[in-house]
Amino acid sequence: MIQYKEGEFKEFIIKPNNSLSWKGNKIFFFILFFVSFVIAFSFAMAGMWLILPFAGLEMILLGSALTFCYIKNSQCEIVKIDEKNVSVSLIKSRNKKVFGCRKYWAKFILNKPRLKGYPHKLVLRSAGREMEIGALLTDEERIKLAGMLKKNVEQ
Amino acid sequence: MSSVVKDEHHDEHPSGIMRWITTTNHKDIGTLYLWFAMIMFFIGGLMALVIRSELFQPGLQFVDPQFFNSMTTMHALVMIFGVVMPAFTGLANWMIPIMVGGPDMALPRMNNWSFWIMPFAFSMLLSTLFMDGGAPAGGWTLYPPLSLQTGDAFPFLIFAIHFMGLSSIMGAINIVATILNMRAPGMTLMKMPLFVWTWLITAFLLIAVMPVLAGGVTMLLTDKFFGTSFFNAAGGGDPVMFQHIFWFFGHPEVYILILPSFGVVSAIIPTFARKPLFGYASMVYATASIAFLSFIVWAHHMFTVGMPLAGEVFFMFATMLIAVPTGVKVFNWVTTMWKGAMTFETPMLFAIGFIVMFTIGGFSGLMLAITPADFQYHDTYFVVAHFHYVLVPGSIFAIMAACYYWLPKWTGNMYSETLGKTHFWLSTIFVNLTFFPMHFVGLAGMPRRIPDYSLQFADYNMIASIGAFGFGFAQLIFLYLIIKTIKGGTKATDQVWEGAEGLEWTLSSPPPYHSFNTPPVIK
């Protein structure tokens, strides 16, 4: 998904596809939590309490797995282009890494895939170094993003 | 710029044994699961042949009764936890990310763990065959106090079950996370292939009931070694409570073993009937209804323990209700075939065989659901016939159908249709020869789990044993065919089957090591 903003500088926010929202994940988790604990508590009431800790451990595992997926899918890349500079921020969880270069030397290159079925690869190249952008996108979106970035950096 | 990203070649991966040990690729792990299930299928099959050899004629011929009981127990544990569940998990690993347009499973490292726990669990379980006191012989249901009489094998059995459960839970969580979070844009829940839907519901069931099994077997362990009395009547416990616990897990487990089969058949029939699946939404709701009902029917396995009449009536009617959504499914499959441009390639033959023979198993299940009738059938070979009709031409045939259906996609090579059809017809003839006579001996009163029997059951048992050996040998054709197809053959096209629809058929055959690095858009 690409969000484009234009103000003092041009900003492209790139996010991966996430088919379930955090709210959706929470609803799913609480449904399973409810079912699992109704079962475990019912048996505990009948004296079979050892089912409870296993249900608890499983819910911890399920909750962690869903949280991990959400965090993994909530990463994003922000490309900012102003008159002189190009910067790319990689945001993963609470970590933020920013890379920058002069607009004059910046070049966005879309590499074609070597094998059928593989995606294109978009890189930002400057002064002999390069970094990948838009790995989170669909191939069609990446091609579109490449066109938009090239157009903006060449202006 | 402060960082350089190297140009990664996505097709690169470790080679040799390390590829398989360290892999986090869903296709590799799917392959591992499927080969594991195949190996266990032959181990469990050999155990079945020991049972059928002993039952070939009355009297004790080859094994002592203790070992015979070990064989029935181990055969069940191996076939349920070592064959059907891993095979479906393997199919899920291979196909679900591709079907939903995701790059891989949501939690690839956990995926690796959940597979590699299995060989340890089954090594532990099979090692009990060589222990003092022999392998577990109290039946896969582990009812106390009988199961507590197991020798040195007991703690190994319990820990093996814990590991199998852990592997299943990790697999189920991974599948749920993948289906919910990794779907391609546009792949709404009601656009998902039925195989994905059935697995989502199966995973839900697994997550709900596995702690019950884990808690139940742990209480057995504490009763044996730590002086607790959960199931010990002398200490104030209740052995029947274990049966409730076990079947509260065990009945949904039955659906865990069969729901993915419904998904497989729902994928195959439209392909070879060249028509869309009839009643997609009703299939989804029927699957969910079956899953819900599976939680409220457990006591039909224990009608004879002495429940109150109201309980027996409730569980009888609840069980009979399952016939409604199951009937919807069978109706939809038949209606999909109705006036379709049908062809009968091997996957379709197995799918049709599934529908016919699973329905026979379903009907005998309905007979068993009737409480007063069940009092007569309980613990007879009629029950053995019933659940084998559901699990062998049901689950196992569906797994074989899935293998034939997707094998050209996985390997890039077409299999030999002649060998495939030979495998199908031999399997179908012999599976009926094995299990159909069991209905008759069961109705005539032959009890299950016995190494010797009355003379009047001799003829049907001999036929069943011949059928079992025939079925076993027919599976060698399957093994040969798979190896032959992996090694080479006519190249498969990307779509493979003329009527095939779905994202998996848009990829090359075989698909790239990493499929859908970026999600496709579903229209």
Side-chain angles (χ1 to χ4, degrees):
Chain A
M1 187 172 69
I2 310 164
Q3 290 170 0
Y4 175 63
K5 288 180 195 169
E6 194 169 347
E8 284 177 34
F9 49 82
K10 288 155 186 167
E11 189 178 60
F12 300 82
I13 302 170
I14 303 158
K15 290 179 178 174
N17 169 53
N18 195 354
S19 54
L20 193 68
S21 64
W22 180 235
K23 191 182 165 191
N25 271 302
K26 278 199 289 191
I27 290 170
F28 178 78
F29 176 77
F30 283 114
I31 290 171
L32 262 175
F33 184 89
F34 177 75
V35 171
S36 197
F37 272 84
V38 164
I39 294 167
F41 270 115
S42 306
F43 280 114
M45 290 296 109
M48 306 292 124
W49 60 269
L50 255 173
I51 293 167
L52 258 177
F54 286 104
L57 284 172
E58 188 191 52
M59 285 302 117
I60 291 170
L61 188 62
L62 177 68
S64 311
L66 293 175
T67 309
F68 176 79
C69 282
Y70 182 75
I71 290 170
K72 202 167 80 170
N73 284 343
S74 61
Q75 59 181 299
C76 73
E77 296 169 2
I78 301 171
V79 182
K80 284 181 187 170
I81 303 174
D82 60 26
E83 282 190 1
K84 288 183 180 174
N85 298 307
V86 175
S87 74
V88 180
S89 309
L90 302 178
I91 301 167
K92 272 187 189 177
S93 185
R94 287 174 194 166
N95 300 323
K96 185 178 175 184
K97 285 181 184 172
V98 182
F99 309 104
C101 65
R102 303 291 287 178
K103 187 179 170 185
Y104 182 79
W105 297 107
K107 222 174 183 182
F108 289 100
I109 297 164
L110 187 68
N111 292 323
K112 283 186 181 171
R114 289 183 304 128
L115 295 168
K116 185 189 163 193
Y118 282 85
H120 289 75
K121 192 171 173 182
L122 176 61
V123 294
L124 169 58
R125 189 174 289 169
S126 175
R129 294 189 292 174
E130 67 175 33
M131 67 168 300
E132 188 175 357
I133 298 169
L136 315 167
L137 297 174
T138 67
D139 211 31
E140 282 172 10
E141 285 175 326
R142 193 178 300 111
I143 294 165
K144 187 179 154 195
L145 176 69
M148 291 163 80
L149 290 172
K150 277 181 188 173
K151 195 175 152 192
N152 278 286
V153 89
E154 283 161 10
Q155 278 174 358
Chain B
M1 210 176 309
S2 56
S3 174
V4 175
V5 175
K6 285 181 186 170
D7 184 22
E8 288 171 18
H9 299 303
H10 295 283
D11 226 20
E12 284 175 2
H13 48 77
S15 57
I17 188 79
M18 288 311 286
R19 167 182 174 180
W20 301 102
I21 292 172
T22 61
T23 185
T24 54
N25 182 287
H26 72 101
K27 297 185 190 82
D28 282 354
I29 295 172
T31 305
L32 284 170
Y33 267 114
L34 288 168
W35 273 114
F36 179 80
M38 178 70 103
I39 292 164
M40 297 311 288
F41 182 52
F42 281 99
I43 293 173
L46 282 174
M47 291 171 178
L49 293 184
V50 171
I51 295 167
R52 285 314 323 168
S53 301
E54 184 54 55
L55 293 175
F56 185 74
Q57 58 185 36
L60 295 176
Q61 280 87 34
F62 302 107
V63 293
D64 64 74
Q66 167 76 18
F67 188 73
F68 181 89
N69 288 339
S70 289
M71 285 293 102
T72 56
T73 306
M74 297 289 275
H75 165 74
L77 289 169
V78 166
M79 286 299 192
I80 291 168
F81 292 105
V83 179
V84 180
M85 289 175 74
F88 279 129
T89 313
L91 291 173
N93 260 285
W94 245 105
M95 301 315 299
I96 286 177
I98 297 178
M99 284 178 159
V100 300
D104 204 310
M105 297 294 280
L107 305 148
R109 287 184 183 85
M110 193 166 91
N111 206 14
N112 174 289
W113 272 65
S114 57
F115 171 75
W116 280 109
I117 287 172
M118 299 271 293
F120 289 99
F122 278 91
S123 303
M124 201 185 284
L125 181 69
L126 294 175
S127 71
T128 60
L129 285 164
F130 308 101
M131 289 179 185
D132 276 352
W140 83 284
T141 49
L142 309 172
Y143 285 176
L146 183 62
S147 68
L148 298 177
Q149 294 172 20
T150 308
D152 291 355
F154 190 74
F156 292 90
L157 167 70
I158 300 300
F159 283 116
I161 290 173
H162 270 300
F163 280 126
M164 292 168 205
L166 182 63
S167 167
S168 299
I169 286 170
M170 286 161 78
I173 288 174
N174 215 338
I175 287 167
V176 160
T178 305
I179 296 171
L180 293 181
N181 289 295
M182 309 282 282
R183 278 170 291 128
M187 176 68 78
T188 57
L189 286 174
M190 290 310 275
K191 279 187 185 173
M192 292 193 311
L194 241 291
F195 180 69
V196 180
W197 255 116
T198 52
W199 242 114
L200 180 63
I201 293 167
T202 301
F204 186 95
L205 287 179
L206 269 166
I207 292 168
V209 299
M210 274 298 169
V212 179
L213 175 70
V217 297
T218 307
M219 286 184 270
L220 280 182
L221 192 79
T222 59
D223 271 9
K224 186 163 170 80
F225 294 110
F226 300 104
T228 59
S229 296
F230 288 110
F231 310 121
N232 179 6
D238 180 5
V240 174
M241 192 64 196
F242 180 83
Q243 297 188 27
H244 283 288
I245 289 175
F246 183 84
W247 287 113
F248 192 87
F249 147 79
H251 200 78
E253 171 70 17
V254 172
Y255 292 99
I256 288 162
L257 301 175
I258 200 69
L259 290 184
S261 312
F262 295 165
V264 168
V265 172
S266 302
I268 291 171
I269 285 179
T271 298
F272 296 100
R274 291 165 182 79
K275 272 176 71 190
L277 184 70
F278 182 85
Y280 171 90
S282 66
M283 287 297 237
V284 173
Y285 299 133
T287 311
S289 307
I290 292 170
F292 169 73
L293 288 170
S294 76
F295 285 112
I296 56 167
V297 297
W298 76 90
H300 68 216
H301 293 272
M302 38 192 287
F303 278 143
T304 56
V305 294
M307 276 186 291
L309 186 63
E312 293 191 337
V313 171
F314 170 80
F315 285 109
M316 176 173 77
F317 284 122
T319 305
M320 293 173 90
L321 263 183
I322 295 181
V324 178
T326 313
V328 168
K329 284 183 166 294
V330 173
F331 177 81
N332 286 353
W333 290 323
V334 174
T335 314
T336 305
M337 289 190 275
W338 178 252
K339 290 188 176 176
M342 302 229 289
T343 50
F344 298 94
E345 287 85 347
T346 311
M348 184 62 160
L349 288 177
F350 272 100
I352 294 172
F354 169 92
I355 295 173
V356 174
M357 288 181 278
F358 173 76
T359 305
I360 293 174
F363 279 130
S364 58
L366 271 178
M367 291 169 72
L368 286 162
I370 303 164
T371 313
D374 183 80
F375 272 65
Q376 299 302 313
Y377 307 148
H378 188 84
D379 257 347
T380 68
Y381 256 81
F382 190 80
V383 180
V384 180
H386 157 68
F387 67 73
H388 277 96
Y389 260 91
V390 176
L391 287 175
V392 184
S395 301
I396 297 283
F397 267 37
I399 292 163
M400 286 170 180
C403 288
Y404 283 110
Y405 186 53
W406 285 310
L407 195 61
K409 174 58 62 184
W410 299 337
T411 61
N413 302 319
M414 289 305 290
Y415 61 85
S416 160
E417 200 62 63
T418 312
L419 276 179
K421 284 179 177 167
T422 309
H423 174 225
F424 168 74
W425 285 112
L426 288 176
S427 296
T428 303
I429 291 165
F430 285 122
V431 89
N432 283 294
L433 208 58
T434 310
F435 299 117
F436 212 82
M438 291 182 188
H439 291 111
F440 304 136
V441 290
L443 289 176
M446 178 172 161
R448 60 191 288 207
R449 293 170 173 160
I450 51 159
D452 188 10
Y453 50 83
S454 302
L455 282 175
Q456 77 243 35
F457 307 126
D459 291 347
Y460 282 131
N461 270 289
M462 190 177 283
I463 294 168
S465 293
I466 292 167
F469 274 89
F471 184 76
F473 286 117
Q475 303 325 305
L476 296 175
I477 300 174
F478 185 47
L479 179 64
Y480 171 73
L481 180 144
I482 289 174
I483 293 169
K484 190 169 172 270
T485 311
I486 292 168
K487 286 193 166 179
T490 316
K491 293 294 157 204
T493 58
D494 291 355
Q495 201 189 359
V496 183
W497 310 109
E498 185 193 28
E501 282 183 15
L503 285 178
E504 72 264 39
W505 309 107
T506 63
L507 292 171
S508 58
S509 299
Y513 193 64
H514 293 287
S515 41
F516 298 129
N517 272 22
T518 54
V521 178
I522 318 300
K523 287 167 189 163

